[in-house]
Amino acid sequence: MERTAAELRRSEDELRVARDAAEKANRAKSEFLANMSHEIRTPMNGVMGMTELALQTTLTDQQHEYLTMVLQSADALLRLLNDILDFSKVEAGKLELELIEFSLRDLLVTPC
């Protein structure tokens, strides 16, 4: 009986160590995602800003089309990065929700 109790305590200790290691790894992953998304968002905002400025200049139709695609792609990537950042904030317990009043009727009713 004593041996079984000792084995049980050892197993509980091993589980506790494994759980702590998993929690630490999860926190490190969340911090990495948050840091990387911030590091990538900054130059992406620069790309988008400069593309918008270029679109305001005299361009051929083809150049305008290409730059519009660049801007749309950069916007899609920025939305993805923001989603990753939000996900990492949720995992880290640091997501702050904003209370905004809105009309549900206006959101659900579509114009004919």
Side-chain angles (χ1 to χ4, degrees):
M1 184 102 164
E2 273 186 43
R3 181 171 181 188
T4 304
E7 289 174 354
L8 181 60
R9 279 192 298 276
R10 187 177 71 238
S11 294
E12 288 173 345
D13 289 342
E14 289 172 359
L15 284 173
R16 196 172 5 265
V17 168
R19 184 196 68 220
D20 291 346
E23 289 174 353
K24 184 178 179 181
N26 192 42
R27 281 191 303 274
K29 178 194 68 160
S30 294
E31 289 175 17
F32 173 79
L33 286 173
N35 288 336
M36 287 310 299
S37 64
H38 277 294
E39 294 298 321
I40 296 170
R41 281 190 317 163
T42 300
M44 184 55 60
N45 282 320
V47 167
M48 293 174 73
M50 295 306 292
T51 303
E52 288 172 351
L53 288 175
L55 282 167
Q56 295 173 12
T57 64
T58 304
L59 302 167
T60 67
D61 289 342
Q62 189 175 31
Q63 290 170 328
H64 192 275
E65 181 183 346
Y66 290 166
L67 286 173
T68 299
M69 282 194 242
V70 168
L71 189 57
Q72 290 169 347
S73 297
D75 185 59
L77 183 55
L78 188 58
R79 283 194 312 270
L80 177 63
L81 291 168
N82 286 332
D83 290 346
I84 291 169
L85 179 59
D86 289 345
F87 182 71
S88 66
K89 284 181 179 179
V90 168
E91 282 192 330
K94 296 181 179 179
L95 182 68
E96 295 180 12
L97 299 178
E98 184 178 3
L99 181 62
I100 300 174
E101 289 189 32
F102 66 95
S103 169
L104 183 58
R105 179 178 302 278
D106 291 344
L107 291 175
L108 296 177
V109 176
T110 57
C112 296

